[in-house]
């Protein structure tokens, strides 16, 4: 009859903060750019002329509570 063995839990890898910092900065900047285009583009601070960006993110503006008209 086989004997019962106890399982040894695997050690979780430790990720240094210095390895995560560049990714955190990248995704924070990406979120700010997305927030700008959803909330402010085609308003007082317009980067792209026309209404293409406004129409593309129109529903997202309403969902996030931005007035657009």
């Amino acid at each position: 009859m086989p004997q019962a063995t106890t399982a040894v839990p695997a050690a979780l890898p430790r990720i240094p903060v210095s390895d995560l910092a560049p990714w955190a900065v990248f995704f924070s900047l990406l979120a700010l750019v997305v927030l700008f285009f959803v909330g402010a583009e085609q308003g007082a601070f317009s980067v792209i002329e026309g209404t293409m960006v406004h129409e593309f993110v129109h529903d997202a503006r309403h969902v996030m509570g931005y007035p657009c008209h």
Side-chain angles (χ1 to χ4, degrees):
M1 203 150 125
Q3 293 181 342
T5 59
T6 57
V8 177
L12 294 175
R14 294 186 178 191
I15 302 173
V17 175
S18 61
D19 289 347
L20 292 178
W23 290 102
V25 169
F26 171 72
F27 283 113
S28 297
L29 290 175
L30 182 64
L32 285 174
V33 168
V34 168
L35 187 63
F36 168 77
F37 276 106
V38 170
E41 179 63 23
Q42 306 301 335
F45 303 106
S46 182
V47 175
I48 300 172
E49 293 184 19
T51 61
M52 183 187 81
V53 174
H54 176 85
E55 295 302 326
F56 186 71
V57 297
H58 185 88
D59 292 336
R61 289 175 189 240
H62 289 296
V63 169
M64 294 175 70
Y66 285 98
C68 62
H69 48 88

